[in-house]
Amino acid sequence: MAKTKTAYFCQNCGAQFAKWVGQCSSCKQWNTVVEEVAQKETKSSWKQTDTSVKRTAKPLRISEISNDKEVRLNTKDGEFNRVLGGGLVPGSLTLLGGEPGIGKSTLLLQMALKLDLKVLYVSGEESQKQIKMRAERIEKNTDNCYILTETKTQHIFKQVAAVTPELVIIDSIQTLHTDYIESAAGSISQIRECTAELIKFAKESNTSVLLVGHITKDGNIAGPKILEHMVDTVLQFEGDRNYVYRILRSLKNRFGSTAELGIYEMFGNGLREVTNPSEVLISNAAGELSGTAISATVEGMRPLLIEIQALVSSAVYGTPQRSATGFNVKRLNMLLAVLEKRAGFKLAAKDVFLNITGGISVDDPAIDLAVIAAILSSNADIPIEKGTCFAAEVGLAGEIRPVQRVDQRILEAEKLGFSTIYVSKANKIGLKHTNLELKLVSKIEDVVGELFG
């Protein structure tokens, strides 16, 4: 056994120091540096059961490497498959992070109960009875899902060898610990070592592994940043717990695109896939009330139509308020300045409140025109004609700028029964036949004249 050595690690960012310091020089946090074991035993808790002699790797010409497509595991969840790029790759390690109570465990247990494969669900946070109660609430029943409550990796791998599952789910990586590191579960060293053991197991046994990861108050996955580098895929499960909608994003994917996202709806009996999110994000009252506008946006590779609500009122106090939910407040202030400078609307003495319905956050610049239309509609107390939507960016000079993938936005609006869409005159539209009336505009003044002239 190699001699045990210790070093000092920052519990916030994972930076290593030769001696204790009060402030981490990397992340500038105080009292986060603690002493941990830096060198482990050379022995590994996962042993390959195959006793055949392994040949050492040798370099190959790129033309000699086989490019056969990997057969993926179908998770029986269309949204999960979409985000992964077609399903789970055998031997891959996937990390799922998200806020406490957002539904990470429910999502993975629901998927495990649907699969026809043999699944081992390892929980270090809940008892078997608690998981059984959740499984009954989801109303799924299967004999292919095995539940194990354990936190020591050595015991987990013994049960893995006995069950021989095709998929292993770990809930969560921060609760695991190994005997080869003398530190508490959840520490930098334990997370790094346990993940390394799981990677070795996944690659040697060709078994897919799903990890649940906690997040910090800043929204980052807890533990060292190297954790995200070690795994193959990093997924983020997000949403507001006050709303029913949840969004699954891909932050890193070695086997597919990171531009996809999945949308779920939370119910008492589990999560439901939302195949057409535009219909649930737009209320039936849109177009009948002032201060409401519809924008054609793109989240990942999926076009969505979202509802934007604005309220403009006289400021009661000296300083007017600027508040936005689901939209960048700094960009809102910029759009208000453009409106005042280029369109002549005096909003300096008025409160402006903006909300994107459904509890989602959007950073697509293509919703700029809809934001301005909603603000102008509320200010004039004139509703925007029903069946109208917007897809354009607004520049500082008041010009209407083109956006990407405008054809997909137009098709989505047409599919949902809209009749008019405002886009930039500079956009190159490839659609030859569409039932939508295309309003091509180049300046804010054109939009104001069309809507409220």
Side-chain angles (χ1 to χ4, degrees):
M1 184 178 70
K3 184 179 179 181
T4 301
K5 296 181 180 179
T6 60
Y8 294 86
F9 293 90
C10 173
Q11 297 296 294
N12 185 55
C13 67
Q16 182 177 347
F17 302 91
K19 61 180 182 179
W20 184 86
V21 292
Q23 183 187 34
C24 173
S25 59
S26 178
C27 64
K28 306 302 180 184
Q29 296 293 316
W30 288 92
N31 298 323
T32 58
V33 178
V34 297
E35 185 179 15
E36 293 183 7
V37 176
Q39 185 169 331
K40 62 179 179 63
E41 296 181 13
T42 55
K43 184 179 177 182
S44 173
S45 64
W46 165 252
K47 292 182 180 180
Q48 173 66 300
T49 56
D50 186 7
T51 57
S52 60
V53 178
K54 293 183 180 179
R55 289 181 290 181
T56 57
K58 65 176 183 178
L60 294 175
R61 295 185 180 90
I62 194 167
S63 59
E64 297 174 347
I65 300 173
S66 173
N67 62 348
D68 295 337
K69 287 188 177 180
E70 193 75 52
V71 178
R72 294 177 181 252
L73 302 177
N74 183 5
T75 64
K76 301 294 183 68
D77 186 324
E79 300 297 296
F80 206 88
N81 283 341
R82 178 202 299 272
V83 176
L84 290 173
L88 284 168
V89 174
S92 65
L93 208 73
T94 302
L95 177 64
L96 174 65
E99 292 275 354
I102 204 69
K104 303 183 297 294
S105 300
T106 301
L107 175 65
L108 295 183
L109 180 61
Q110 183 173 300
M111 185 185 69
L113 295 173
K114 285 181 182 178
L115 288 173
D116 298 328
L117 310 172
K118 192 182 290 186
V119 181
L120 179 62
Y121 188 101
V122 182
S123 176
E125 301 175 342
E126 298 175 289
S127 67
Q128 291 175 321
K129 288 185 179 179
Q130 286 177 298
I131 299 172
K132 171 68 174 177
M133 290 169 59
R134 183 187 293 134
E136 289 178 345
R137 191 181 77 236
I138 296 174
E139 297 179 359
K140 299 286 182 182
N141 191 15
T142 180
D143 292 329
N144 293 326
C145 184
Y146 294 78
I147 307 298
L148 173 66
T149 54
E150 183 57 67
T151 58
K152 186 182 290 188
T153 57
Q154 287 74 25
H155 295 169
I156 292 172
F157 288 131
K158 285 181 182 178
Q159 299 304 321
V160 166
V163 177
T164 62
E166 296 171 84
L167 173 63
V168 176
I169 298 174
I170 306 291
D171 186 8
S172 65
I173 185 62
Q174 278 80 13
T175 62
L176 296 192
H177 67 95
T178 176
D179 286 340
Y180 306 126
I181 293 292
E182 297 177 359
S183 59
S187 63
I188 299 291
S189 301
Q190 284 286 5
I191 293 175
R192 185 170 55 235
E193 175 59 22
C194 291
T195 305
E197 291 182 6
L198 288 168
I199 289 175
K200 183 178 176 64
F201 156 71
K203 302 305 180 186
E204 292 185 358
S205 64
N206 205 34
T207 304
S208 297
V209 178
L210 278 168
L211 305 177
V212 173
H214 297 167
I215 65 170
T216 63
K217 62 181 180 180
D218 299 325
N220 301 317
I221 295 177
K225 195 67 177 177
I226 194 174
L227 174 63
E228 298 180 44
H229 291 287
M230 294 169 71
V231 300
D232 298 309
T233 306
V234 179
L235 305 179
Q236 184 82 10
F237 201 42
E238 59 190 41
D240 192 330
R241 281 180 290 178
N242 297 320
Y243 292 88
V244 297
Y245 304 113
R246 303 287 188 268
I247 294 178
L248 183 66
R249 299 181 188 272
S250 176
L251 305 181
K252 171 190 174 182
N253 193 352
R254 289 176 178 162
F255 311 110
S257 171
T258 56
E260 288 288 1
L261 83 161
I263 300 179
Y264 294 88
E265 200 170 359
M266 175 66 84
F267 290 102
N269 59 350
L271 291 157
R272 183 183 70 86
E273 301 172 42
V274 178
T275 55
N276 191 1
S278 298
E279 291 183 348
V280 297
L281 293 175
I282 300 176
S283 68
N284 295 327
E288 301 172 1
L289 303 173
S290 64
T292 299
I294 306 298
S295 176
T297 183
V298 172
E299 279 287 332
M301 299 295 291
R302 172 184 285 186
L304 300 174
L305 264 71
I306 59 174
E307 181 180 334
I308 297 172
Q309 296 177 330
L311 177 63
V312 179
S313 61
S314 299
V316 179
Y317 305 103
T319 304
Q321 299 182 66
R322 302 285 187 261
S323 177
T325 303
F327 189 72
N328 192 324
V329 178
K330 291 183 178 179
R331 191 162 188 88
L332 173 62
N333 289 329
M334 183 201 78
L335 293 176
L336 292 176
V338 171
L339 269 179
E340 187 154 353
K341 178 73 174 179
R342 305 297 176 186
F345 284 86
K346 303 301 180 183
L347 299 170
K350 295 189 176 181
D351 294 334
V352 179
F353 303 95
L354 192 75
N355 176 48
I356 296 180
T357 60
I360 65 172
S361 298
V362 181
D363 55 5
D364 183 6
I367 71 172
D368 286 355
L369 190 56
V371 168
I372 283 181
I375 292 171
L376 294 176
S377 171
S378 178
N379 185 60
D381 200 19
I382 299 174
I384 295 172
E385 186 178 350
K386 193 170 185 179
T388 302
C389 61
F390 305 86
E393 181 183 357
V394 177
L396 290 177
E399 79 277 17
I400 308 300
R401 302 176 61 84
V403 293
Q404 295 181 345
R405 296 162 58 193
V406 68
D407 291 350
Q408 285 182 271
R409 302 172 196 263
I410 294 173
L411 289 174
E412 180 72 10
E414 184 178 358
K415 185 174 71 175
L416 292 176
F418 283 81
S419 57
T420 307
I421 184 169
Y422 284 78
V423 295
S424 171
K425 188 176 289 186
N427 256 123
K428 296 180 180 179
I429 300 173
L431 294 174
K432 295 182 179 179
H433 303 286
T434 177
N435 295 326
L436 260 73
E437 181 185 359
L438 301 179
K439 295 280 190 178
L440 304 178
V441 290
S442 58
K443 295 181 180 179
I444 286 183
E445 295 91 317
D446 302 339
V447 180
V448 175
E450 288 279 355
L451 292 176
F452 311 107

